[in-house]
Amino acid sequence: MLDAEYFIEKLGLEPHIEGGYCKELYQNSRRFDDRPISSTIYYLLKSGQVSKFHRLKSDELWFYHCGSPMLVHEINSAGDLSTIRLGLRVEHGYQPQILVPGHTVFGAEVAEPNSFCLVSCMVSPGFDYRDFELFSSETLSRIFPQHQTIIRRLNGI
């Protein structure tokens, strides 16, 4: 049976600052300013782990591969919270591919207990930590006081 440890080992995934595990797969050789025009990663979360709320300047596409579905929580600039279901259960509202628009605060968690989710993510222009903003619970709570429950669940107290 394939489990999280299998993919972590076989794909060479490493712990990621926002939570979970990742490995960069691809950087386009064409450049936009000083960065590749696109890049991709594998990203894996285990049940009980979260992708903490963060923001990118660029759009990010997520592609489901294996395991439990993933719940991707987004807070837009107006402060509206939405949850997108990433997975293959389309009859239940899940989508195999989703877009997280640039400048959106977002985080994720595995939908089912005792499982994991493996996805790929593509950013264009290519990912650069200069475009990555990881939020503390305190900062998010000040900006979005109406979303305390999800902020605490994904970013801690």
Side-chain angles (χ1 to χ4, degrees):
M1 182 169 169
L2 303 178
D3 62 8
E5 298 309 319
Y6 170 85
F7 288 107
I8 291 168
E9 178 188 338
K10 298 297 183 191
L11 298 176
L13 305 180
E14 299 287 335
H16 192 283
I17 189 171
E18 76 193 45
Y21 302 85
C22 76
K23 180 180 181 179
E24 185 176 64
L25 298 171
Y26 169 76
Q27 283 192 7
N28 192 298
S29 60
R30 293 179 53 204
R31 309 298 280 183
F32 175 79
D33 290 333
D34 64 340
R35 64 187 70 191
I37 61 170
S38 64
S39 64
T40 64
I41 63 167
Y42 280 133
Y43 184 68
L44 183 142
L45 276 179
K46 297 178 187 179
S47 296
Q49 293 181 322
V50 296
S51 168
K52 294 179 181 176
F53 277 114
H54 60 288
R55 178 169 49 200
L56 301 176
K57 290 182 181 177
S58 301
D59 291 351
E60 183 172 37
L61 289 167
W62 288 50
F63 306 92
Y64 173 85
H65 292 302
C66 186
S68 168
M70 180 93 70
L71 302 176
V72 180
H73 307 287
E74 300 179 352
I75 305 174
N76 67 21
S77 59
D80 300 320
L81 174 68
S82 61
T83 299
I84 302 171
R85 298 172 178 188
L86 179 64
L88 298 180
R89 298 176 188 160
V90 293
E91 71 277 10
H92 297 292
Y94 289 83
Q95 302 170 47
Q97 174 183 316
I98 65 166
L99 169 67
V100 177
H103 303 284
T104 300
V105 175
F106 68 103
E109 60 187 329
V110 177
E112 298 172 351
N114 305 312
S115 188
F116 70 97
C117 184
L118 175 66
V119 302
S120 288
C121 301
M122 186 192 86
V123 178
S124 180
F127 180 80
D128 189 308
Y129 274 104
R130 294 175 292 182
D131 297 339
F132 174 83
E133 187 176 6
L134 185 63
F135 291 95
S136 70
S137 291
E138 182 179 273
T139 298
L140 281 178
S141 295
R142 204 169 36 253
I143 300 169
F144 305 113
Q146 69 275 33
H147 302 306
Q148 293 296 311
T149 302
I150 190 74
I151 290 169
R152 287 189 181 124
R153 191 165 75 235
L154 267 60
N155 282 52
I157 296 174

